[in-house]
Amino acid sequence: MIVKVLFILVMIGTCVVCKPRFTIGGIFYEDAEDLKQAFNVSAKMFKFNTLVAEVPRTGEFLQISGHVCEFAKAGVVGIIDAVGGLATELIQALCDTLEIPLITIQQNDFYLKDWTLINLYPSPDAFNNLLTQLITTKGWKNFTLLYVKGHSMSNVHKLLEMSTQSDNMFTVTVRELSGDDYRDVLTEAKDSGYVNFVVDCPSANLEQILCQAQQVSLMSDEHSYIFVSPDLFTLDMSRYRYGGVNMTGFRLVELQDNNPLWEFTSSYNAEAPNILQPENLKTEVLLIYDAVLMLSDALTKVNVTTQELDCEKYGSWAYGSTLLNFMKTSKAEGLTKSFHFDGFGQRNNVMIDVLELTPAGNQSIATWSDNSLNMSRPKVLATEIGEETIMKNKTFKVLISKTAPYGYIRESIFKLEGNDRYEGFTIDLIDKLSDLLGFNYEFELEDVYGNQLPNGTWTGMISKIRDDKADFAICDLTITTERQKGIDFSTPFMSLGISILYKEPSKQPPEMFSFMAVFSKEVWYYMVFVQLALGVIMIFVGRISNKEWQNPVPCVEQPEELNNQFSFANSVWLIIGSVMQQGSEIAPIALAPRIITSVWWFFTMVMVASYVGTLVAFLTVEKDVMPFTTVDELYEQKHIAYGAKTTGSTIDFFKYSTNPKYKEMHNKMVSKGWVVTDNDIGVDKAEKGNYAFFMESTSIEYTKERHCDLIQVGGLLDSKNYGIGMKKQSPYKRYIDSALLLLKERGEIQKLKEIWWKEKRGGGKCGEKRDEEQKKLGMRNMLGAFVVLGVGCLIGLLISILDMLWGVFKRSVKYGTTFKFELIEELKFALKFSGDIKPVKRQPKELSVIENDLDLEKKDEIMSLRSARSTDTHRTHRSHGSRHSSRSLSVAFARRRQYT
Ligand code: GLU
């Protein structure tokens, strides 16, 4: 017996020792540390040896073939490609020849259906189908597709087709996000009134898009987003949770009861600098694990022996295609759920969780599997809302408050009764909800919104709802954590934040040097730099252009020296003359300086026109001089009082703030009696001056429409929402939520807001306040002119160099010297940048023998007559003998010019 057991143990031991450790290769970008780490960790977990190849992001893909051949030589059983794009095509072509299984984890932009690889990233078909079904379920009739420049649109191409469908029900707008700053595009989208967005971008851009969308106020309760990237909910979304924005995203991983995920995460964290939670692991990281798992799973079922392959010999691995086909057909389970591939290795049938961001965190609302969307959240559809709901024909008591514009007492000469006594935004909103849900209502006034007292009891509306004295509370009732302990709130119907209401200060005339403010600082700096640089270029180009070297004495045919007008002083004078629009006497002669001068004139024309056009506004617009522009500045100063409503979420913000400055401000407001009992008193005080009133931005918007001398100072101190209050666990919540969402999606709430803010009860009195603040002209506005100048200078420079080379060549032939010698001579002279006189070069002696025989005095006379007619004789040569007489003629001519 003992012998038998020992024998079995020895056999097991031997098998463990003899089991070969296979090697797998991984190709990564150099900086993809997380993926390399996931690869090494997973390989360790599944007992593989690894070979890692790194490639730069600059696209030097040729070295990739070298890496694949090295892997083949080492006898790998599979290659994992984390690079994607064109590189995948290259790797795949080689793996195809070598018959090494290739698993890629990147979105396949070059989706060709004859590839012999496995792509673990869900196929574009899956995303396209999911997105179209989701948009149809959401009932969007129009949406904007935001995509990042350079990112493949293969996942969303079906959405573009939605607008061309025969029934033409969808309006699809496409906007490209490029560069680092997307705010211009996002602001444009906001101004165009777009509210539904589908965002397709690499996971690396998600954070930036979210942040910038929030900065341009595109994250309020009226906006809805669908993010295509399955990494949305790997980010920390806490800052967007309470803004009311509707955000939908996808997730591939199952977080519940997923032991392998926890094991992988702890092994991954053991090697990582930061500890990550399973939900924070990026999809690519999970897919690396899944790729290794797939290989390991296949190798336990298919018996293979490794083989060292040589790319040069076009060898192939005998087991490669069997292994690949096995992986394509086996329906293994990974971190990203079960793998189903079509015959081309594309992961079409994929399971995806559809999540939505709610104030309570992420919530799964649907699942995508077997090519269909199964909604898991009971969403009351628009068509169902009007039908038999449990609210139909019931009568509810609704608490309202007398706070403009949410609730007013109706003014009438008749005696009004019941609900007719009231009007306002919330009264109309309840009316619309009752139309949708079929209930009746009865209003009751209650001006105290309510909160919890230290003894645990509740006040105002909250207490009435808790005690069943009322069913709903609707006014500017802010959703707060404290109130949420006592009652439930509906989905938000309006988003806001605390800001400051203050009297507009008197205007001050522009400053003494406001004419300088037309251009931004950088434009001025570039102008000065460009002028200096152009001065140098003009001198250089002038010196190397043959035609610029002129005979100073036109009547002397063979002068001793030639003259050049492009001295430093002249060049600068020409440049400044054109900036000042005055011109100068200096006129370039050669082609190159003429081109450069022309583009400079064009540049100055554009700059001067832009300057003059904008200057008037800068000299006339008077500016507000604000005593403070932020809360911090308000806190620092001693002369202005500030306050908020005595009870409510605004004063509570200061009271419970962890910021000591805000706490101190609260103490000061209370101790000095600066708090007020309602918003109207606060507005009156602000209007009298020297009083800053902290108010909710929605109420500030309303006040500004009616009190034209009041303005909002600074941004929002926080971000919150109004909701309809109701009893905890209210059975009506889901109906109210759905009806509110429907009203939001139809734009009804926005319409009501326009009416009650800008039209009724004195709205629209102040009109649109013109933003008189003049915008400086920055480099962004003037860049075109600088580019034209730069290109023109380059062309001029090129032509002048060609001109110089031609002159050098001619001289080298004429004087029997080498081209190089003449070129060095010419450059040495040109680059001296000094001396505008150039001695004329003489011919070697042998060549001048014949000329020596001539009567030189006579020849000079004849030639000088000729040269008087021609102005562009520039290079002459002459003999020793004529030198004396020519010089004396030049001197005589110069003297004569001086005297006349
Ligand atoms: N909306 C606030 C609340 O619900 C009242 C107004 C305010 O505090 O500014 O308490």
Side-chain angles (χ1 to χ4, degrees):
M1 181 66 190
I2 295 171
V3 175
K4 248 187 187 174
V5 171
L6 269 176
F7 177 71
I8 291 167
L9 282 176
V10 168
M11 282 306 288
I12 292 170
T14 331
C15 279
V16 168
V17 173
C18 71
K19 189 184 176 229
R21 249 178 103 98
F22 295 113
T23 306
I24 50 173
I27 302 179
F28 303 90
Y29 278 125
E30 279 170 343
D31 54 355
E33 293 304 332
D34 50 348
L35 301 188
K36 282 183 258 175
Q37 193 180 317
F39 180 64
N40 288 327
V41 168
S42 317
K44 217 175 185 177
M45 289 173 81
F46 292 101
K47 304 201 169 26
F48 280 113
N49 293 329
T50 53
L51 284 175
V52 173
E54 296 180 358
V55 290
R57 281 197 188 263
T58 42
E60 291 154 32
F61 291 141
L62 276 182
Q63 50 174 281
I64 288 179
S65 27
H67 294 311
V68 175
C69 290
E70 277 164 29
F71 288 170
K73 214 168 216 146
V76 293
V77 291
I79 294 177
I80 295 170
D81 154 43
V83 174
L86 280 171
T88 303
E89 265 192 289
L90 192 63
I91 302 168
Q92 188 271 332
L94 279 165
C95 285
D96 209 10
T97 320
L98 297 162
E99 294 201 23
I100 298 176
L102 171 67
I103 306 176
T104 182
I105 59 141
Q106 295 288 358
Q107 178 182 331
N108 194 349
D109 298 350
F110 307 91
Y111 182 49
L112 297 173
K113 285 208 158 185
D114 58 357
W115 283 19
T116 49
L117 53 67
I118 286 185
N119 191 346
L120 270 177
Y121 197 89
S123 80
D125 282 354
F127 278 112
N128 277 297
N129 294 340
L130 166 56
L131 285 166
T132 35
Q133 283 195 35
L134 188 61
I135 285 171
T136 318
T137 313
K138 278 182 175 271
W140 287 2
K141 291 287 165 273
N142 55 56
F143 62 90
T144 304
L145 179 62
L146 295 173
Y147 75 97
V148 167
K149 192 176 179 184
H151 185 60
S152 151
M153 290 179 77
S154 55
N155 285 341
V156 289
H157 68 84
K158 257 197 176 172
L159 302 190
L160 298 175
E161 288 160 17
M162 283 171 98
S163 60
T164 53
Q165 278 168 0
S166 53
D167 46 5
N168 212 12
M169 273 160 46
F170 296 95
T171 313
V172 185
T173 322
V174 183
R175 287 271 185 282
E176 182 185 80
L177 304 171
S178 60
D180 286 335
D181 195 346
Y182 309 141
R183 278 171 290 204
D184 283 349
V185 180
L186 296 172
T187 310
E188 222 178 80
K190 184 182 145 205
D191 295 344
S192 312
Y194 302 144
V195 289
N196 301 326
F197 299 92
V198 176
V199 186
D200 187 16
C201 67
S203 122
N205 297 61
L206 282 171
E207 209 145 12
Q208 191 185 357
I209 295 177
L210 289 170
C211 176
Q212 294 190 359
Q214 193 178 42
Q215 284 168 358
V216 302
S217 306
L218 213 59
M219 281 278 184
S220 66
D221 53 346
E222 59 191 312
H223 300 115
S224 298
Y225 291 82
I226 298 176
F227 284 84
V228 183
S229 164
D231 283 332
L232 179 71
F233 290 109
T234 62
L235 304 176
D236 175 16
M237 303 291 284
S238 50
R239 57 190 289 204
Y240 310 106
R241 256 162 59 179
Y242 302 102
V245 62
N246 184 301
M247 253 195 254
T248 308
F250 307 138
R251 189 160 65 193
L252 294 179
V253 66
E254 176 58 66
L255 294 175
Q256 302 289 316
D257 307 323
N258 193 343
N259 281 340
L261 177 65
W262 283 97
E263 276 169 34
F264 171 68
T265 313
S266 54
S267 311
Y268 181 84
N269 282 338
E271 321 248 321
N274 309 317
I275 302 296
L276 290 176
Q277 292 304 317
E279 61 266 31
N280 300 126
L281 290 176
K282 297 264 179 285
T283 306
E284 289 177 0
V285 168
L286 302 170
L287 291 179
I288 290 274
Y289 172 93
D290 280 354
V292 180
L293 172 123
M294 266 184 74
L295 272 168
S296 162
D297 193 51
L299 285 165
T300 51
K301 288 167 193 151
V302 183
N303 268 335
V304 300
T305 46
T306 54
Q307 191 182 335
E308 288 172 14
L309 298 168
D310 193 342
C311 280
E312 310 277 307
K313 293 185 184 151
Y314 298 102
S316 62
W317 188 33
Y319 299 95
S321 52
T322 320
L323 202 61
L324 193 82
N325 287 334
F326 181 85
M327 287 194 282
K328 273 188 199 169
T329 48
S330 82
K331 294 182 174 39
E333 283 276 327
L335 295 184
T336 56
K337 305 187 190 139
S338 55
F339 310 135
H340 295 272
F341 300 98
D342 62 11
F344 307 104
Q346 300 295 327
R347 201 171 170 188
N348 280 336
N349 192 355
V350 58
M351 280 168 73
I352 300 176
D353 268 336
V354 181
L355 306 175
E356 213 172 72
L357 183 73
T358 69
N362 318 328
Q363 216 175 63
S364 171
I365 56 157
T367 47
W368 173 258
S369 62
D370 294 326
N371 233 348
S372 71
L373 188 68
N374 310 305
M375 295 301 291
S376 51
R377 185 185 60 185
K379 183 176 161 110
V380 184
L381 294 173
T383 44
E384 281 173 36
I385 283 176
E387 290 165 17
E388 284 306 306
T389 68
I390 53 167
M391 295 181 83
K392 199 152 180 122
N393 296 332
K394 287 198 175 144
T395 303
F396 298 106
K397 181 165 276 177
V398 181
L399 298 174
I400 52 167
S401 97
K402 224 164 45 341
T403 308
Y406 308 96
Y408 299 98
I409 302 284
R410 198 192 290 270
E411 290 158 0
S412 169
I413 45 167
F414 305 107
K415 189 173 172 354
L416 300 173
E417 290 198 343
N419 291 345
D420 288 345
R421 288 171 294 163
Y422 312 108
E423 64 175 4
F425 171 83
T426 52
I427 283 84
D428 285 356
L429 184 57
I430 283 290
D431 195 46
K432 286 203 182 288
L433 289 175
S434 82
D435 283 349
L436 281 173
L437 299 167
F439 63 86
N440 304 313
Y441 54 90
E442 206 176 86
F443 288 126
E444 185 181 310
L445 266 185
E446 171 59 71
D447 282 329
V448 181
Y449 296 180
N451 47 8
Q452 198 171 23
L453 299 174
N455 63 9
T457 55
W458 293 88
T459 58
M461 293 182 172
I462 314 269
S463 117
K464 281 194 172 164
I465 288 178
R466 284 175 65 83
D467 299 344
D468 283 329
K469 288 186 185 144
D471 301 290
F472 301 113
I474 183 165
C475 57
D476 52 333
L477 185 65
T478 310
I479 305 174
T480 61
T481 25
E482 188 203 36
R483 286 175 181 162
Q484 234 162 359
K485 282 187 222 150
I487 57 166
D488 265 353
F489 283 95
S490 69
T491 189
F493 61 83
M494 210 174 264
S495 303
L496 61 131
I498 299 172
S499 196
I500 308 170
L501 184 76
Y502 192 68
K503 194 174 163 86
E504 191 170 24
S506 53
K507 306 257 183 205
Q508 298 291 317
E511 290 157 16
M512 189 159 76
F513 292 105
S514 52
F515 61 85
M516 289 293 287
V518 175
F519 288 134
S520 70
K521 262 192 207 143
E522 52 178 349
V523 174
W524 286 118
Y525 291 150
Y526 278 117
M527 290 262 284
V528 172
F529 171 74
V530 158
Q531 291 192 31
L532 291 177
L534 199 77
V536 176
I537 291 174
M538 286 302 273
I539 298 170
F540 179 69
V541 168
R543 291 174 77 81
I544 63 171
S545 299
N546 290 324
K547 277 197 182 170
E548 287 298 337
W549 290 101
Q550 290 285 308
N551 181 353
V553 190
C555 59
V556 176
E557 205 273 341
Q558 291 174 330
E560 268 297 284
E561 295 143 345
L562 298 174
N563 216 349
N564 192 315
Q565 58 178 335
F566 281 107
S567 62
F568 180 71
N570 280 356
S571 303
V572 171
W573 187 238
L574 172 70
I575 291 165
I576 293 179
S578 32
V579 174
M580 299 300 165
Q581 306 277 287
Q582 298 304 320
S584 64
E585 292 280 292
I586 300 127
I589 298 161
L591 180 62
R594 279 186 177 176
I595 291 177
I596 297 177
T597 311
S598 312
V599 286
W600 174 248
W601 284 342
F602 175 77
F603 174 79
T604 50
M605 184 185 76
V606 174
M607 296 303 279
V608 170
S610 313
Y611 180 82
V612 173
T614 322
L615 182 66
V616 184
F618 273 86
L619 296 182
T620 51
V621 169
E622 299 192 329
K623 280 192 187 157
D624 306 332
V625 180
M626 285 298 301
F628 63 94
T629 50
T630 59
V631 196
D632 284 349
E633 283 175 21
L634 181 63
Y635 165 82
E636 306 289 349
Q637 60 73 46
K638 302 246 168 329
H639 311 288
I640 300 164
Y642 45 83
K645 201 174 150 184
T646 347
T647 55
S649 55
T650 304
I651 196 82
D652 283 353
F653 168 81
F654 288 94
K655 190 172 170 187
Y656 300 116
S657 172
T658 47
N659 184 337
K661 277 188 193 170
Y662 291 164
K663 259 202 143 47
E664 205 185 315
M665 285 178 103
H666 171 259
N667 294 340
K668 218 166 165 184
M669 283 188 240
V670 177
S671 62
K672 301 220 174 198
W674 289 342
V675 283
V676 292
T677 46
D678 67 44
N679 281 350
D680 292 342
I681 302 175
V683 171
D684 277 350
K685 282 185 96 169
E687 205 155 28
K688 283 190 191 120
N690 240 21
Y691 181 79
F693 186 49
F694 288 107
M695 211 181 188
E696 288 173 329
S697 54
T698 37
S699 304
I700 292 183
E701 260 176 68
Y702 170 84
T703 309
K704 276 192 328 189
E705 286 290 330
R706 287 149 185 88
H707 301 260
C708 309
D709 51 347
L710 292 180
I711 52 164
Q712 177 180 334
V713 183
L716 305 183
L717 304 190
D718 62 353
S719 159
K720 48 201 180 188
N721 301 288
Y722 295 147
I724 301 176
M726 62 193 86
K727 222 177 148 59
K728 274 239 166 259
Q729 309 293 332
S730 168
Y732 311 124
K733 179 171 159 49
R734 62 179 270 228
Y735 297 99
I736 298 269
D737 281 354
S738 298
L740 275 176
L741 274 178
L742 187 75
L743 290 178
K744 270 202 268 182
E745 278 168 12
R746 287 184 185 164
E748 300 275 357
I749 296 189
Q750 191 56 31
K751 250 188 251 163
L752 281 184
K753 192 173 170 208
E754 291 284 312
I755 294 171
W756 285 104
W757 263 250
K758 298 195 171 156
E759 291 169 19
K760 293 203 176 180
R761 296 268 186 159
K765 183 173 146 196
C766 308
E768 277 291 295
K769 271 195 190 158
R770 219 159 35 90
D771 183 11
E772 288 195 317
E773 176 79 11
Q774 276 303 317
K775 287 223 169 92
K776 285 174 194 267
L777 296 175
M779 265 321 270
R780 274 175 130 198
N781 310 79
M782 308 313 301
L783 193 64
F786 280 91
V787 170
V788 171
L789 179 66
V791 172
C793 285
L794 279 180
I795 295 172
L797 212 57
L798 203 75
I799 291 175
S800 67
I801 289 170
L802 290 177
D803 185 19
M804 176 191 75
L805 293 176
W806 177 240
V808 167
F809 172 71
K810 278 203 303 194
R811 274 201 309 284
S812 66
V813 171
K814 191 169 183 180
Y815 303 124
T817 53
T818 63
F819 179 80
K820 191 176 161 195
F821 171 78
E822 286 292 336
L823 181 66
I824 293 171
E825 287 271 287
E826 179 76 25
L827 283 178
K828 264 191 201 160
F829 182 76
L831 291 173
K832 258 200 304 184
F833 282 97
S834 71
D836 51 3
I837 292 174
K838 189 179 197 177
V840 175
K841 195 165 178 175
R842 290 189 209 110
Q843 253 181 340
K845 263 192 177 166
E846 321 80 72
L847 293 172
S848 57
V849 171
I850 311 158
E851 284 180 45
N852 282 342
D853 293 343
L854 292 172
D855 182 350
L856 295 169
E857 292 292 332
K858 265 187 185 172
K859 190 185 165 222
D860 266 355
E861 245 170 67
I862 298 159
M863 294 308 283
S864 61
L865 276 172
R866 267 194 224 151
S867 70
R869 265 180 253 141
S870 143
T871 50
D872 71 12
T873 312
H874 55 287
R875 292 216 172 245
T876 55
H877 53 269
R878 46 168 302 163
S879 68
H880 286 286
S882 66
R883 199 173 167 191
H884 172 73
S885 58
S886 168
R887 176 170 287 171
S888 51
L889 239 177
S890 308
V891 170
F893 190 85
R895 272 201 202 120
R896 205 168 59 231
R897 277 217 306 199
Q898 256 180 15
Y899 289 124
T900 51

